[in-house]
Amino acid sequence: MTSAGQVAAFAGVIALAAASPGPDFAVVVRRSMMAGRWHGLVAGLGVATGVFVWSVAAAMGVAALLEASAVAFTVVKLAGAAYLLWLGVTALLAARRGGDSPRFEDTPRAAARPWVSYRDGVLCNVFNPKCGVFFMAVLPQFVPMDGRPADVLLLSSVAVLVTVAWFATVATLVAALRRVLSRPRIRRTLDALTGAVLIALGLRLATTSA
């Protein structure tokens, strides 16, 4: 059975990974900036869902299969890269329209559909095969040799809770600064920067190898 020390150590590793700047961080920040804390939280929940999927997949050997199969890895990688590029282009177009364009929450359909933020969080993470490789490398170090499904479920739940806690903090901080960030010139600059970062991450993902 997984010990309390192993759980604490695993939580620390996941916290460091979650805090590392990447596509997940960019998506949560952008959703928080555009639509407020709630949408940022929902995007974070989407990322956490992806984390749970990858941790369970690693335990089941799916991630190992993904790493072993160049074709499968490439398909997932290119799908993720395309999605990041789409998000990046969307942000750049928003910057081009200028900071005076309608805000996200001012659009009824968008405001009524937090699932869009959740979807972005899920797909951003699930379509990143590097997450699967990460869990395949990390998870076995914390699961006992006689590990049971309950051990995997426990560690997966810890990964989800740590991820949610981190991105809830990010969403709260960004939302607190939203009045300043929503100023036309600042928002236009942030949209442009976020778009450039997402596009760069998409291109980086597309050119990485297993």
Side-chain angles (χ1 to χ4, degrees):
M1 182 176 180
T2 306
S3 68
Q6 289 175 310
V7 171
F10 180 72
V13 172
I14 296 299
L16 289 174
S20 301
D24 297 338
F25 182 82
V27 167
V28 173
V29 168
R30 177 162 170 74
R31 285 297 172 186
S32 302
M33 183 179 67
M34 290 174 62
R37 181 173 178 269
W38 170 241
H39 278 261
L41 287 172
V42 172
L45 287 173
V47 173
T49 300
V51 166
F52 183 81
V53 169
W54 278 123
S55 62
V56 173
M60 295 176 61
V62 175
L65 177 63
L66 187 66
E67 185 182 34
S69 173
V71 174
F73 186 91
T74 300
V75 169
V76 175
K77 178 184 68 174
L78 292 180
Y83 194 69
L84 290 176
L85 290 173
W86 178 76
L87 291 177
V89 170
T90 299
L92 289 180
L93 290 176
R96 183 179 180 182
R97 287 195 299 268
D100 294 324
S101 58
R103 293 182 300 175
F104 186 77
E105 76 274 17
D106 291 334
T107 306
R109 290 180 61 188
R113 295 181 179 178
W115 68 265
V116 174
S117 297
Y118 179 78
R119 177 203 66 190
D120 285 351
V122 171
L123 296 184
C124 179
N125 191 276
V126 169
F127 280 155
N128 186 353
K130 289 296 184 180
C131 291
V133 175
F134 168 80
F135 276 102
M136 188 186 69
V138 171
L139 197 61
Q141 301 181 41
F142 297 93
V143 177
M145 293 297 293
D146 58 345
R148 298 168 298 176
D151 294 307
V152 175
L153 181 60
L154 172 61
L155 293 178
S156 298
S157 299
V158 168
V160 168
L161 290 175
V162 171
T163 302
V164 169
W166 165 248
F167 285 117
T169 302
V170 171
T172 299
L173 290 175
V174 174
L177 297 172
R178 197 162 167 236
R179 185 181 296 274
V180 174
L181 299 178
S182 294
R183 293 174 181 173
R185 181 176 296 180
I186 294 178
R187 184 181 174 195
R188 187 164 55 247
T189 300
L190 289 174
D191 278 336
L193 287 174
T194 303
V197 168
L198 287 168
I199 289 175
L201 290 170
L203 292 175
R204 181 182 177 183
L205 179 60
T207 56
T208 55
S209 57

